[in-house]
Amino acid sequence: MNVISDLGFDCVVVDLTKNYFELFALPVSCQVDQQRLSSQYRALQRAVHPDRFAGGDDRQQRLSIQYASHVNEAFNTLKQPLSRAIYLLKLAGREVDMERNTIMDSGFLLQQMELREAVAEISSSSSPEQEVERLADQVNADLHRYLQQFEGFWKSGAEQDLDQAEALVRKMQFMVKLAAELEQLESGLLDD
């Protein structure tokens, strides 16, 4: 962290031109040391948090809000595998349009349909809690496998491999949404 005083006050400067990995002094990678990320995040937030500058002038407050917001966005991006993968593609020059480009292979589409049917049938299952757990385990295993495959394609950096990495990100997005649905379903079952 750089500290400058020529603004009329001591201020930690967050270099907004650095990529998120550089901001947290982490190597650019699919795998992130979550403890180190959290530790760096807390240190940066302690330095730039707007509460520190509550008594400061407008400029101090505006800068601290801007820096804290940037640090939060960077942390949230690197914390989750899906957003981290999308960000890695962005660093490789690929903007992933998750809303418009939804083309997927037929095998994955069939898997999606089967998983959706399984989720829809949970409520009529004789042991819905076990079924939710089984599906959640399957989704997590698929997510892990997709992330590993993504890493291989992303590391290659070849255009055709980055196409494959982009396709895997779309699959990961589906699985992340399904995992969230299963968590919500599990919470509902536990409340009953």
Side-chain angles (χ1 to χ4, degrees), residues 117-157:
E117 286 174 15
V119 170
E121 293 170 0
I122 284 177
S123 60
S124 61
S125 167
S126 61
S127 55
E129 293 91 0
Q130 288 179 345
E131 189 60 18
V132 167
E133 191 174 318
R134 184 189 70 75
L135 286 172
D137 287 346
Q138 180 182 345
V139 167
N140 287 331
D142 286 347
L143 261 173
H144 182 71
R145 183 169 45 87
Y146 291 145
L147 185 62
Q148 286 183 325
Q149 292 172 347
F150 172 89
E151 187 171 15
F153 289 123
W154 172 77
K155 279 183 176 177
S156 154

Side-chain angles (χ1 to χ4, degrees), residues 174-191:
F174 171 78
M175 291 301 183
V176 165
K177 286 181 181 176
L178 192 59
E181 288 176 35
L182 287 169
E183 260 182 51
Q184 194 171 13
L185 195 56
E186 185 175 35
S187 292
L189 290 171
L190 293 174
D191 289 343

Side-chain angles (χ1 to χ4, degrees), residues 18-96:
K18 286 184 174 179
N19 73 46
Y20 294 163
F21 292 96
E22 292 169 335
L23 179 65
F24 292 108
L26 294 169
V28 178
S29 172
C30 286
Q31 307 299 325
V32 167
D33 180 339
Q34 293 290 329
Q35 284 186 329
R36 189 168 171 203
L37 174 65
S38 293
S39 170
Q40 296 288 74
Y41 170 74
R42 286 190 300 272
L44 281 168
Q45 279 297 354
R46 271 194 303 273
V48 300
H49 197 279
D51 288 350
R52 285 194 62 217
F53 303 95
D57 63 25
D58 287 347
R59 186 173 185 204
Q60 290 171 316
Q61 292 177 8
R62 191 180 63 249
L63 281 174
S64 68
I65 290 170
Q66 183 181 10
Y67 291 159
S69 174
H70 185 73
V71 169
N72 280 337
E73 182 180 328
F75 176 73
N76 289 327
T77 298
L78 296 187
K79 186 177 175 187
Q80 299 299 325
L82 176 59
S83 56
R84 187 169 56 243
I86 293 170
Y87 186 68
L88 286 168
L89 285 174
K90 183 178 178 182
L91 291 177
R94 296 287 184 110
E95 290 288 341
V96 181

Side-chain angles (χ1 to χ4, degrees), residues 1-19:
M1 288 185 277
N2 295 329
V3 178
I4 58 171
S5 299
D6 60 348
L7 296 171
F9 58 94
D10 284 342
C11 179
V12 172
V13 176
V14 175
D15 185 349
L16 300 177
T17 65
K18 286 184 174 179
N19 73 46

